Amino acid sequence: MITQARTARPVRIGVLVPLTRPGWVEAGRHLLAGLELGVHEVNEAGGIGGRPLELLVRDTAADPQRAAAAVDEFAQLGVAAMAGEYHSVVARAAAARADALGLPFLCSSAVLDALTERPTQWVARLPPPQSHGWQVYADFLLRAGHSRIAVAAEASVYWAAGARVLRDHLAPRGGTLIELDARASTPEAVCRQLVDQRVTALLLLAGFPEPAVSLVRSVRRDQRLAEILVGAPAGQPEFAAWARSLGDDGAAIPFLRYLPERLGPLGTRVEAALRERLTAAPSFVAFEGYDAIAVLADVLRAHGTDRADIAAAWPRVAVEGTRGRIRFSRRPGIGVWQWDRAPVQIVDRDPAEPGRFRIRHTG
């Protein structure tokens, strides 16, 4: 059976990942490792009805137009479905094109609520929508006693959406959100504004390495801000490059990630396999890649490779993933099929051991 799967005509999956700058390359590498591990295991088990699963990988480099062009190429090459993408704005462009072309797209990692401008049957998503995860983060801040919160934000649909979620959730609960321009202001000017505004928490709604690294260093070195909490809800500290760039300064910065408190047997086995592939601890993004293939393989085995049949199967998915049982449903205000119980954690790097993560809150 395995021999047959390796020689039969492959079932192709188009994959979008950021593998070059200005994309977050480390995130793309982890995402691809999870996708490739999932495909390897599917093929070792006999493939899809005796046919091997094959990935057609395209580097988005965090460029929405490049992603949209790749979707057009995938459609012409006859892929059964698409998976991947880390950057929300890029995934939004890919989702819009997939919807227009009638190409099933399982978004593995992008959280922007408005992934499509209209409801679509063609797109499903694994991570929770930004509105849910960032509300959990706002609750964490309030419970920790922070009511005057600043965001150092860059201009982006994603960052603007995140700031809006925070502001709308904090305001009715007595919280104030102060918005600072992370590009127009120097890090030193940001520090002065934090002092003047009596801010107790600063959130980095800004790219890595810059301006995030310079902002963190400036805040950490300003004695007036010794007690301020620095946070990064978008998850920048998840990756090893953060620790390499900032060292001890990068610890104790809470961020969102999408893992359960404890992995089950499947997650534990996959974690070990991913660690071997990456020669490093896998991020939650690597698990998202593996789970995307687990879902697509299950759909392909049960419903075949016709694109319309794949899209029609989203609401019938019931797959055991590395982070829990995956089912898709519709949520108010979300135009795509959404995993309804994706896990959410807030963690940070332990100041005593920056390579170790501490769970600060779950939601």
Side-chain angles (χ1 to χ4, degrees):
M1 187 175 182
I2 294 175
T3 301
Q4 180 184 359
R6 287 173 176 163
T7 58
R9 182 167 55 87
V11 177
R12 289 178 162 181
I13 302 295
V15 166
L16 301 173
V17 282
L19 296 175
T20 55
R21 298 288 300 164
W24 195 308
V25 176
E26 192 172 6
R29 189 169 67 87
H30 280 235
L31 177 53
L32 186 58
L35 291 159
E36 289 177 339
L37 176 62
V39 167
H40 171 75
E41 293 189 358
V42 167
N43 289 338
E44 286 297 300
I48 306 298
R51 297 170 62 187
L53 203 56
E54 179 181 84
L55 300 182
L56 298 183
V57 180
R58 297 296 181 267
D59 171 22
T60 65
D63 183 340
Q65 292 183 342
R66 191 164 170 172
V71 178
D72 287 342
E73 181 188 6
F74 290 151
Q76 294 170 0
L77 291 173
V79 303
M82 289 169 28
E85 194 45 44
Y86 175 75
H87 297 285
S88 280
V89 176
V90 179
R92 183 179 65 161
R97 197 68 192 130
D99 177 51
L101 294 174
L103 182 56
F105 176 30
L106 179 52
C107 180
S108 64
S109 305
V111 299
L112 192 68
D113 279 37
L115 201 57
T116 56
E117 293 184 358
R118 61 179 186 179
T120 176
Q121 65 173 332
W122 297 100
V123 183
R125 172 166 58 189
L126 288 174
Q130 188 177 24
S131 57
H132 174 64
W134 288 47
Q135 284 176 13
V136 171
Y137 197 95
D139 286 335
F140 161 74
L141 293 172
L142 291 170
R143 289 173 185 175
H146 299 287
S147 59
R148 290 189 65 77
I149 299 157
V151 295
E154 292 186 278
S156 159
V157 171
Y158 174 67
W159 299 124
R164 184 167 56 250
V165 171
L166 293 168
R167 183 175 55 251
D168 291 349
H169 195 71
L170 290 168
R173 295 162 178 82
T176 300
L177 192 74
I178 300 160
E179 297 191 42
L180 309 176
D181 191 324
R183 286 291 182 185
S185 301
T186 66
E188 293 74 21
V190 169
C191 288
R192 287 196 297 272
Q193 292 177 77
L194 297 176
V195 173
D196 292 343
Q197 297 276 3
R198 295 176 289 109
V199 167
T200 64
L202 169 67
L203 307 185
L204 304 170
L205 274 56
F208 175 85
E210 293 300 336
V213 167
S214 294
L215 285 166
V216 172
R217 285 178 176 156
S218 293
V219 170
R220 294 299 201 210
R221 284 155 176 71
D222 193 322
Q223 292 302 312
R224 300 170 300 174
L225 301 172
E227 301 301 319
I228 198 169
L229 172 81
V230 180
Q236 299 96 318
E238 168 77 6
F239 298 99
W242 176 272
R244 289 194 300 269
S245 297
L246 283 162
D248 292 344
D249 285 344
I253 296 180
F255 63 93
L256 284 163
R257 70 174 181 179
Y258 308 118
L259 289 174
E261 288 191 65
R262 291 180 180 83
L263 293 170
L266 174 61
T268 300
R269 179 182 65 75
V270 169
E271 180 182 38
L274 286 169
R275 187 181 293 269
E276 183 176 347
R277 279 179 173 257
L278 291 163
T279 63
S283 70
F284 71 86
V285 179
F287 290 95
E288 290 176 327
Y290 182 94
D291 285 343
I293 295 301
V295 169
L296 287 174
D298 184 80
V299 170
L300 290 164
R301 289 182 183 121
H303 302 283
T305 59
D306 179 79
R307 291 172 179 172
D309 290 343
I310 293 169
W314 296 136
R316 297 196 289 275
V317 165
V319 175
E320 195 62 37
T322 58
R323 299 163 298 139
R325 192 154 185 82
I326 299 169
R327 298 176 183 271
F328 295 114
S329 62
R330 291 291 195 183
R331 285 193 181 184
I334 306 296
V336 303
W337 289 100
Q338 179 69 53
W339 183 13
D340 56 4
R341 295 187 182 275
V344 177
Q345 292 178 347
I346 297 171
V347 305
D348 66 6
R349 289 180 177 271
D350 188 342
E353 188 183 344
R356 188 177 76 86
F357 294 109
R358 306 181 298 183
I359 298 177
R360 303 287 301 275
H361 184 71
T362 59

